[in-house]
Each structure stands twice: as C-alpha cells, then as structure tokens.
C-alpha cells in the first residue's frame, strides 16, 4: 500500500509541475504583431550596368566579370575513399548510398539576383527545409524553392544587363532583401545601401504544415554603416504552399541595454 501511495503522490507532483510549467509558459509568452506580408519574388530594381560605385572588398581591384552560371552536371563519387584505414571505431551497420541530388544555390545566382544589386557574401550560411513536396533553400543572401525533381518553382527573376544584353540567369532565385520587403542590398547605380540581412535558417513544421525562414537584420545608419539596432525577421508561409504568400514577424534583439 505504501508503494502505491507514494506512486500516486508522485503522479500528483508531476501533474502539479506540468500545470505550473504550462501556466509559467503562458505568463511568459507574448504576442508578436505581424510586420508585413510578401512572397518569394524579386522587388523593384534597376539592372546593373556593370559599373561599381564602391569596392566590395577592402583591397579593391574587384572584377565584375564573375563566373558563368552553372549549366552542367554534378559528379558524385560512389567508390571507396583513399584515406587511411580506421579499425578502432565501430562501423555503421547500414551502407548508405547516394540516390539523387540537384544543384542548389550558387554564388553566381546570389551575386546577380535582383538585377545584380547584391554583394558578394561569405560564408553562405545555408539553411534548408523540406516538406509537402517543396525544398526551400536560403543562403547569404538569396533563396530559392524547388520541387522534388530539383526544378525551381518560383517566377522567373532573370535580370538583363542593360549594357551587353547578357541575361543574368539566376534560376529564379530571389534576394532575401526582396523577400522581407527591403530595398536592394546595394543600389549599383546610386550606391545606396539597404538593410543588412544575414544568417538565414529554415524549418518546416509538419504539425502545422508551415515553412519558417528566419534571418538577422541589421539596420543602416544615415551614412550607410551598420547601426546598433537589429532584429530577427521570422517569415511564416500562410499555407503549406511555400511559393505563396508569407507573413513576416519582427523581434527586436538589439543589445542596447533596453
């Protein structure tokens, strides 16, 4: 009897703790108002004419030529590696093999998205999430949405170089400044700088069938430098279709003492 009595008291204690945690969670939660709506489409831009109003890199001497867009095939190794044999560790019981893959975002698409009004950014800080037949990929500072066959399902955002007429094939990629409703990262005609968007992460929540793309955004000062105010930008797809409309929520994370 004593054992059952103690077991019952333990269940009561656990239940009480769960209620307390739940009430605490409710008390500590807060509503975040929606800051805007949008979709994965490029915003307004003037195609870059190849001129550079300022150097991207401190050493200068940058080249606007850049690499050609990727249009080949990817080769994956299927044989055994040539490294030294390791016998001390346990080997995996399974024998994983590569079955299928496709080309994701590359630097060319990142640099020439939104008519070329982008910076060259390192590192890429890739975020990727998969659900409901979609593959959402985001890097510094561009995103794309693919189907299960690796084809982009976004509208065509190809930019045309206004000097040479050469199409900047970005495979429908969209810059993150456009996605969150901001001006271009850099206006290649005027030199004006938009918000600094970085560090994307992506999550598909199977329970709600919603996609989440989160970035850190740092505001600019009047002189164009990085400001002291910044926030997390949380984009949530309105439906299970990631190519449709998204809601955006903003959380202030400025380390300014407030």
């Amino acid at each position: 009897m004593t054992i059952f009595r103690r077991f019952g008291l333990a269940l009561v204690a656990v239940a009480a703790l769960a209620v307390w945690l739940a009430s605490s969670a409710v008390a500590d939660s807060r509503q975040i108002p929606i800051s805007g709506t949008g979709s994965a489409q490029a915003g307004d831009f003037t195609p870059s004419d190849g001129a550079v109003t300022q150097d991207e890199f401190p050493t200068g001497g940058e080249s606007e030529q850049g690499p050609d867009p990727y249009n080949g095939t990817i080769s994956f190794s299927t044989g055994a590696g040539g490294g030294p044999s390791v016998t001390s560790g346990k080997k995996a019981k399974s024998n994983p093999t590569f079955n299928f893959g496709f080309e994701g975002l590359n630097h060319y698409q990142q640099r020439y998205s939104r008519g070329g009004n982008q910076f060259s950014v390192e590192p890429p800080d890739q975020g990727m999430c998969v659900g409901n037949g979609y593959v959402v990929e985001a890097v510094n500072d561009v995103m794309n949405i693919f189907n299960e066959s690796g084809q982009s399902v976004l509208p065509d955002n190809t930019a045309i170089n206004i000097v040479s007429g050469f199409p900047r094939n970005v495979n429908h990629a969209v810059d993150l400044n456009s996605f969150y409703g901001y001006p271009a990262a850099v206006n290649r005609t005027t030199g004006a700088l938009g918000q600094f968007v970085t560090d994307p992460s992506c999550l598909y929540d199977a329970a709600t069938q919603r996609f989440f793309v989160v970035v850190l955004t740092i505001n600019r000062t009047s002189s164009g430098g990085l400001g002291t105010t910044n926030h997390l930008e949380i984009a949530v797809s309105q439906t299970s279709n990631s190519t449709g409309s998204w809601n955006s929520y903003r959380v202030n994370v400025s380390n300014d003492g407030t």
Side-chain angles (χ1 to χ4, degrees):
M1 181 67 71
T2 302
I3 295 177
F4 287 106
R5 184 180 294 112
R6 288 179 179 175
F7 180 69
L9 291 175
L11 289 178
V12 172
V14 171
L17 177 61
V19 172
W20 179 80
L21 288 174
S23 62
S24 298
V26 172
D28 293 339
S29 65
R30 61 191 176 100
Q31 296 293 324
I32 302 175
I34 187 172
S35 60
T37 60
S39 61
Q41 297 187 32
D44 295 335
F45 63 85
T46 300
S48 171
D49 60 1
V52 180
T53 58
Q54 55 185 307
D55 288 337
E56 292 188 55
F57 309 105
T59 57
E62 67 177 15
S63 171
E64 279 295 298
Q65 183 62 36
D68 291 330
Y70 179 87
N71 58 6
T73 59
I74 305 175
S75 175
F76 292 93
S77 175
T78 58
S85 176
V86 179
T87 58
S88 58
K90 295 182 178 180
K91 295 183 178 180
K93 295 181 180 180
S94 61
N95 185 26
T97 59
F98 179 81
N99 293 321
F100 173 76
F102 59 88
E103 163 96 13
L105 291 166
N106 59 37
H107 178 263
Y108 185 96
Q109 295 159 356
Q110 191 295 121
R111 174 59 182 81
Y112 291 110
S113 180
R114 199 165 181 171
N117 294 284
Q118 289 270 93
F119 284 115
S120 295
V121 182
E122 285 287 346
D125 290 342
Q126 184 205 40
M128 177 177 285
C129 52
V130 180
N132 199 34
Y134 297 103
V135 179
V136 180
E137 182 187 16
V139 300
N140 281 334
D141 255 341
V142 70
M143 70 177 296
N144 209 337
I145 302 175
F146 307 92
N147 58 24
E148 293 177 330
S149 299
Q151 300 166 326
S152 177
V153 290
L154 293 181
D156 187 6
N157 292 302
T158 298
I160 302 297
N161 185 296
I162 61 177
V163 173
S164 64
F166 178 73
R168 303 287 197 185
N169 181 13
V170 296
N171 191 27
H172 304 194
V174 176
D175 63 294
L176 292 180
N177 280 55
S178 287
F179 183 60
Y180 288 101
Y182 290 122
V186 54
N187 187 314
R188 289 285 170 177
T189 301
T190 65
L193 301 176
Q195 279 80 352
F196 180 74
V197 180
T198 186
D199 297 347
S201 298
C202 187
L203 171 72
Y204 173 72
D205 180 41
T208 59
Q209 296 188 34
R210 295 295 184 270
F211 292 85
F212 296 77
V213 178
V214 183
V215 296
L216 171 66
T217 301
I218 303 177
N219 292 328
R220 296 280 185 179
T221 64
S222 57
S223 61
L226 296 180
T228 58
T229 58
N230 56 84
H231 51 268
L232 291 179
E233 201 92 52
I234 307 172
V236 185
S237 63
Q238 292 184 0
T239 68
S240 59
N241 183 355
S242 57
T243 67
S245 298
W246 293 64
N247 293 331
S248 185
Y249 303 86
R250 189 172 298 168
V251 181
N252 192 330
V253 292
S254 302
N255 187 14
D256 60 357
T258 61

